[in-house]
Amino acid sequence: MIFEVYENNKLVMVLSGSKLECSSRVTKSQTLKEVTTINTSVPYYDVHKYLKEIKEATVNKLTVTTTSGKVFDGDEKSQDRMARAINIASISGQIQTQWKLADNTIVMVTLDELKEALALAGQEMSRIWLGQ
């Protein structure tokens, strides 16, 4: 089990172990929140490393929905693929291409749909990394 320790609504420590063990390490001015986002056997976990791992895991599972209702993978690799496809389409004059959506269906998407998905994914990734 993973426990986040907060003091004045700010994450100050991450602990792992049983609730009893962790609770005994928390002062009266701190609150304890059980989380199950990641697993670690390290008793005192580096908060910055922990938050980075959570953000990376969130970005790796990112999906975005365009106005047309298509759901695209939005992780960093998918964003690279979208940018490459947009560049190739722009150079070759294509206005649509085949694309594998988040549910693994292959569909025709327009260049504008890819641009929208890329913009949405980039915005969401920035929001995740900046904690907004």
Side-chain angles (χ1 to χ4, degrees), residues 47-93:
V47 173
H48 297 292
K49 183 178 178 184
Y50 172 76
L51 292 174
K52 183 178 178 184
E53 287 179 8
I54 290 173
K55 289 176 182 183
E56 285 174 350
T58 303
V59 167
N60 288 340
K61 294 185 281 186
L62 180 64
T63 60
V64 294
T65 306
T66 60
T67 52
S68 66
K70 293 178 179 147
V71 181
F72 291 77
D73 288 315
D75 59 275
E76 290 185 78
K77 243 183 199 173
S78 296
Q79 289 180 48
D80 289 343
R81 289 181 187 126
M82 284 186 247
R84 219 172 18 256
I86 290 166
N87 283 335
I88 291 167
S90 297
I91 292 167
S92 65

Side-chain angles (χ1 to χ4, degrees), residues 4-8 10-14 30-31 45 47:
E4 295 176 336
V5 180
Y6 290 87
E7 190 165 33
N8 299 322
K10 183 177 179 185
L11 182 64
V12 293
M13 189 184 331
V14 180
Q30 297 172 330
T31 58
Y45 202 66
V47 173

Side-chain angles (χ1 to χ4, degrees), residues 71-124:
V71 181
F72 291 77
D73 288 315
D75 59 275
E76 290 185 78
K77 243 183 199 173
S78 296
Q79 289 180 48
D80 289 343
R81 289 181 187 126
M82 284 186 247
R84 219 172 18 256
I86 290 166
N87 283 335
I88 291 167
S90 297
I91 292 167
S92 65
Q94 292 177 303
I95 57 170
Q96 62 180 7
T97 188
Q98 281 192 323
W99 198 261
K100 187 184 285 189
L101 298 177
D103 66 359
N104 291 323
T105 58
I106 298 173
V107 297
M108 291 301 289
V109 296
T110 66
L111 182 59
D112 287 339
E113 285 175 313
L114 274 180
K115 288 179 181 178
E116 180 187 2
L118 179 59
L120 290 169
Q123 290 166 354
E124 185 62 13

